[in-house]
């Protein structure tokens, strides 16, 4: 697996090979015009998945426009043995707690759901690939 800037190699074990967008491959939360020039005029065009998840994220993104140092809370579901390690550079994150909870749900046994952890980050440090407003990579500057 290729190394990414600001990523701890020892944390890839539970991630598999699907890596989160980074400054070279993604678009920062404070400026989505680099993804789509009309994003702020027509954000609903870029709602690809569950509207109940993406609409609140879309509203949050509108408030982050042009404010790279704005703080926001991001979430991540992780295997229980990784919960105490926190969110680390290069991790997949989401501004939607509900989305993180959904990703950590066990198919048949709620007692095996993964915990959701959170952290406050800056808008300039999370990047989307543009295919889901709920999925971001955290790469602190």
């Amino acid at each position: 697996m290729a190394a990414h800037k600001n990523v701890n190699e020892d944390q890839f074990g539970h991630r598999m090979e699907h890596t989160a967008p980074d400054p070279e491959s993604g678009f920062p939360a404070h400026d989505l015009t680099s993804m789509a020039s009309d994003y702020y005029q027509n954000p609903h065009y870029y709602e690809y998945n569950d509207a109940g998840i993406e609409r609140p994220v879309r509203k949050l993104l509108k408030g982050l426009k042009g404010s790279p140092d704005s703080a926001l809370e991001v979430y991540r579901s992780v295997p229980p043995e990784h919960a105490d390690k926190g969110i680390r550079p290069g991790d997949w994150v989401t501004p939607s707690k509900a989305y993180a909870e959904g990703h950590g749900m066990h198919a048949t046994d709620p007692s095996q759901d993964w915990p959701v952890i959170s952290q406050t980050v800056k808008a300039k440090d999370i990047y989307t690939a543009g295919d889901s407003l709920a999925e971001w990579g955290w790469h602190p500057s």
Side-chain angles (χ1 to χ4, degrees):
M1 179 169 301
H4 294 279
K5 182 180 176 184
N6 294 327
V7 176
N8 299 318
E9 289 297 325
D10 68 336
Q11 69 194 50
F12 279 117
H14 69 280
R15 287 184 178 174
M16 298 176 273
E17 291 188 24
H18 182 58
T19 57
D22 59 28
E24 288 79 37
S25 67
F27 310 99
H30 69 281
D31 181 14
L32 294 176
T33 57
S34 59
M35 174 183 78
S37 61
D38 69 337
Y39 177 79
Y40 296 104
Q41 291 78 28
N42 299 297
H44 55 285
Y45 291 172
Y46 305 96
E47 199 170 273
Y48 303 111
N49 296 306
D50 182 348
I53 297 291
E54 288 195 353
R55 282 190 185 133
V57 172
R58 188 174 74 196
K59 183 177 180 181
L60 172 71
L61 293 172
K62 184 178 180 182
L64 297 175
K65 178 184 176 188
S67 300
D69 290 318
S70 289
L72 69 145
E73 195 75 10
V74 294
Y75 305 89
R76 174 175 174 76
S77 62
V78 295
E81 64 272 17
H82 291 277
D84 65 335
K85 295 177 181 166
I87 296 173
R88 299 179 290 177
D91 275 349
W92 284 100
V93 296
T94 178
S96 170
K97 186 175 183 182
Y99 190 78
E101 289 170 344
H103 272 266
M105 290 178 136
H106 188 272
T108 60
D109 183 358
S111 71
Q112 293 186 44
D113 288 355
W114 286 359
V116 172
I117 58 177
S118 67
Q119 184 168 317
T120 302
V121 301
K122 292 183 179 183
K124 67 182 177 185
D125 293 334
I126 64 169
Y127 299 85
T128 182
D131 57 352
S132 171
L133 296 180
E135 297 181 347
W136 298 77
W138 180 54
H139 295 272
S141 50

